[in-house]
Amino acid sequence: MEPDQQPGAAAGPEEPAAGQAEAAAPPPPQQASGAPDDAEGAAGLGDSQEEGSEEEEETEGYGSEEEDGPDSLLLISQRQVLKSIHEASTNMGAAFCVGGSLGRLPISLAVAPPLPGAAGETEAGTPGASGSSTSSRARQAVVVTFPDGGQADVEALQEACVPATFGRGTEEVLDESYRQALAVPASRLFTQLDLAAHGGVLEAVRRLLLPDAALLTVQLHTLNVYGPGGFFRGHRDTPRGNPRFVGSLVLCLPVAHMGGGLRVRHGGRSVVYEWGAGAAAGEVQWAAFFSDCLHEVLPVESGARVTLSWELFAHPADAVARMPAHLASLSGGAGRLVQALRAALDSKDFLVNGGALGFACQHAYPKSLLADVKAKDVPAMLKGEDATLLHALNAVGVLYRLVRVWQEPEDEMCGVDSDEDEWPPRGKYDPAFKALRVSRIGPSILSAPGDDKMGWAHDDPTGWLECTMGARFDTDTIWLGGEESFPDWTMGATHRFIRANCPTFVEEFYCAIGIVANIPPFADRPSMGSMAWAGQEGAAAAPSPSASPSASPPHKKSKLEQAVG
Ligand SMILES: O=C(O)CCC(=O)C(=O)O
Ligand SMILES: [Fe+2]
């Protein structure tokens, strides 16, 4: 159990992202008030004032902190270069949510009664869910129209709902201290509203959040009614077995209410969508966001907040045309990153013999994305800053690869005294020590935790890394900002996020991804005009530059690395 991700402990800041608090907010989405909050400061970076003995600390996380003795001028200079790239790469302020209004629009819904004993229906005996309210529930389909139906239709709808549950660990639970709402799963819901037919909505979401995707599709997930006092505390929506799952879209029906703002957070920024006034005036309003972003429904003060929610899936074009589109979309923070990268590549102080430079992705991704989507299609699924980072690398002609990254705790006994017969080895997961493990995207990815026959994987997902063929300790990459710069480490190792009223709960979780840029030796770096070998490593037209990781500032092996590999 990771307390900062579990229901009941969501008050903590979700993202110790370096420097994000100062990032310029994106243009505030329509109908929203944007305000930076939960500022975290620049973890591991310090501010721009650097002097004498503080140097070591100021540039921690740039590849040489494990060195003994005084640093050479070259190392100091290189750390400055790395720091400037890192700052530029984590201050891009990419959009993470978008919202708008369809204007005044009547919405009709039909809600079928639950099938008696239907498996997965929250009222039908799902573990942890209440089964007590079945008797008073409508036995016939309920048809409602808003705004015309008014209070009578709200009550009829409430009668057709069940208490909204959510996934916690492997269970679907009802916990009114975490979520107080009513729900109807999509399986019982029919509406005339075809979101895909409102072309502007999905296109706006695609352009703002996923410009590299050729197409977004949606799947209706649930209807929720939040009455007075209703709320849903901070959570992330679980990816459930579809690797193309990128986001959630919530649409508020024209039913009067006050309160109930939808707050979405990412990287120290947050946006609140307040729909009460518009809904009272008959407007149908919506918001879409990356589902790995922490979000919550603030308490409803009066009336009924009725929402439909869809899952969003991103699809790549057959061939993602890179350069023209990417150059066209380089702006603001991305431009600064391109500048920092160009300056670095032009400098002999920067990895003169070449090396691997790792960037932590700022969003998390479904585990199955990396297992099931072809590497060439993955860029179309990248979100916000992560997509922009690839554009910037493409723009400066640097090859990269996408890797999964896990945090690996170590125990002193690891690999030395532990009993090889014991599985998983006892004491191996002491959180006091952390190392990075990476894996290329590819088929040799973790199997689902549930696949493990030995029964321990559910409780100790870190453990099943041990039997993963594709994972290896990363001794070569200089990870900018170190492990601190991953937005939430627990995503990488263990988490199954909660999802509202999920009738067929499939165990899934987010994972952390890193982008490792292959910096060629100085002598081999292309002139900035040449884009010939930009893109993913291994791409057909990409001659591989002969980067020599060992020539980067020597990267001392951690205790764990020494012990294991
Ligand atoms: O109703 C909303 O605004 C969002 C609800 C939500 O976050 C969910 O159902 O997962
Ligand atoms: Fe949600």
Side-chain angles (χ1 to χ4, degrees):
M1 297 283 268
E2 306 290 330
D4 62 333
Q5 297 297 332
Q6 291 299 319
E14 81 282 22
E15 307 261 350
Q20 290 279 336
E22 283 153 28
Q30 223 180 323
Q31 311 295 322
S33 60
D37 70 357
D38 52 85
E40 285 301 296
L45 288 181
D47 57 30
S48 54
Q49 312 238 309
E50 290 145 27
E51 272 187 86
S53 62
E54 290 184 353
E55 177 66 29
E56 185 76 1
E57 207 179 319
E58 297 283 350
T59 52
E60 198 178 304
Y62 299 108
S64 55
E65 62 271 17
E66 291 183 41
E67 289 301 295
D68 296 326
D71 292 336
S72 69
L73 278 176
L74 177 68
L75 275 178
I76 291 170
S77 167
Q78 172 154 299
R79 271 188 253 145
Q80 289 305 322
V81 176
L82 293 171
K83 185 180 171 198
S84 70
I85 297 173
H86 184 219
E87 284 179 349
S89 73
T90 51
N91 282 291
M92 291 190 278
F96 55 96
C97 57
V98 53
S101 169
L102 300 183
R104 288 158 183 256
L105 196 68
I107 307 272
S108 296
L109 299 167
V111 181
L115 291 174
E121 282 285 352
T122 46
E123 75 276 32
T126 303
S130 160
S132 61
S133 55
T134 316
S135 55
S136 61
R137 198 158 299 118
R139 299 281 172 206
Q140 297 190 326
V142 170
V143 181
V144 294
T145 301
F146 298 113
D148 294 351
Q151 184 59 23
D153 273 8
V154 171
E155 283 166 19
L157 193 56
Q158 283 171 323
E159 194 56 13
C161 287
V162 295
T165 58
F166 53 88
R168 179 187 278 160
T170 55
E171 287 186 351
E172 191 71 16
V173 298
L174 177 69
D175 175 352
E176 294 209 328
S177 71
Y178 203 82
R179 179 177 205 197
Q180 205 172 301
L182 296 170
V184 178
S187 55
R188 292 203 281 125
L189 203 55
F190 305 89
T191 172
Q192 104 288 7
L193 178 71
D194 176 4
L195 202 58
H198 290 271
V201 173
L202 291 183
E203 183 54 15
V205 176
R206 193 192 67 77
R207 279 177 186 231
L208 271 147
L209 299 187
L210 293 144
D212 290 339
L215 176 73
L216 293 188
T217 55
V218 287
Q219 188 173 344
L220 186 60
H221 182 261
T222 192
L223 171 138
N224 288 123
V225 181
Y226 293 80
F231 64 92
F232 192 177
R233 294 176 64 184
H235 66 284
R236 307 170 204 259
D237 293 341
T238 307
R240 293 179 301 131
N242 187 328
R244 303 199 183 282
F245 177 63
V246 283
S248 303
L249 190 149
V250 181
L251 180 138
C252 184
L253 302 193
V255 179
H257 64 276
M258 285 174 71
L262 170 67
R263 186 206 297 268
V264 189
R265 303 167 191 254
H266 174 63
R269 291 173 288 150
S270 91
V271 172
V272 180
Y273 294 90
E274 299 275 7
W275 290 322
E283 264 187 76
V284 175
Q285 298 155 98
W286 60 273
F289 49 90
F290 294 129
S291 335
D292 63 297
C293 295
L294 201 69
H295 57 281
E296 67 190 303
V297 178
L298 301 170
V300 171
E301 288 152 28
S302 63
R305 178 187 187 278
V306 186
T307 55
L308 288 168
S309 56
W310 284 261
E311 293 175 327
L312 286 169
F313 305 97
H315 306 268
D318 279 337
V320 177
R322 277 203 194 91
M323 286 317 297
H326 291 176
L327 283 177
S329 72
L330 286 174
S331 62
R336 206 156 73 87
L337 176 59
V338 170
Q339 257 180 346
L341 286 167
R342 284 192 168 158
L345 290 166
D346 281 345
S347 163
K348 270 195 176 160
D349 289 347
F350 174 60
L351 299 176
V352 67
N353 296 313
L357 190 60
F359 297 81
C361 282
Q362 301 298 298
H363 283 278
Y365 296 86
K367 165 185 73 85
S368 53
L369 170 73
L370 306 179
D372 298 344
V373 172
K374 286 185 192 139
K376 78 171 176 54
D377 290 342
V378 169
M381 265 95 221
L382 292 187
K383 308 167 187 174
E385 294 86 350
D386 306 334
T388 311
L389 174 58
L390 284 205
H391 298 172
L393 292 173
N394 280 322
V396 296
V398 163
L399 283 169
Y400 55 81
R401 64 198 158 96
L402 293 144
V403 296
R404 295 188 52 173
V405 185
W406 293 275
Q407 178 188 46
E408 182 77 4
E410 187 210 31
D411 181 80
E412 260 125 47
M413 292 157 65
C414 168
V416 181
D417 292 332
S418 67
D419 181 356
E420 291 297 317
D421 293 337
E422 193 180 350
W423 190 259
R426 183 161 41 95
K428 213 165 181 178
Y429 308 113
D430 181 350
F433 188 91
K434 294 160 185 166
L436 298 174
R437 249 180 199 238
V438 300
S439 166
R440 277 173 183 270
I441 286 180
S444 54
I445 293 296
L446 300 179
S447 57
D451 289 349
D452 189 271
K453 303 278 186 298
M454 306 185 74
W456 53 266
H458 280 282
D459 298 327
D460 185 8
T462 314
W464 44 255
L465 280 173
E466 295 298 314
C467 53
T468 302
M469 298 309 291
R472 65 174 177 85
F473 287 107
D474 178 33
T475 53
D476 303 333
T477 305
I478 298 171
W479 286 99
L480 290 170
E483 9 182 289
E484 295 302 315
S485 59
F486 283 86
D488 189 336
W489 262 118
T490 58
M491 288 187 200
T494 63
H495 258 289
R496 300 149 201 145
F497 288 92
I498 59 179
R499 180 65 168 113
N501 194 35
C502 170
T504 51
F505 186 79
V506 177
E507 193 165 53
E508 219 341 346
F509 55 93
Y510 287 108
C511 65
I513 300 187
I515 295 172
V516 180
N518 189 351
I519 307 297
F522 183 75
D524 295 349
R525 287 177 198 163
S527 74
M528 282 301 126
S530 161
M531 303 299 172
W533 42 269
Q536 279 186 80
E537 279 184 307
S544 180
S546 54
S548 153
S550 60
S552 54
H555 198 77
K556 207 156 112 185
K557 278 193 170 187
S558 70
K559 281 191 294 174
L560 183 56
E561 289 160 358
Q562 285 165 351
V564 175

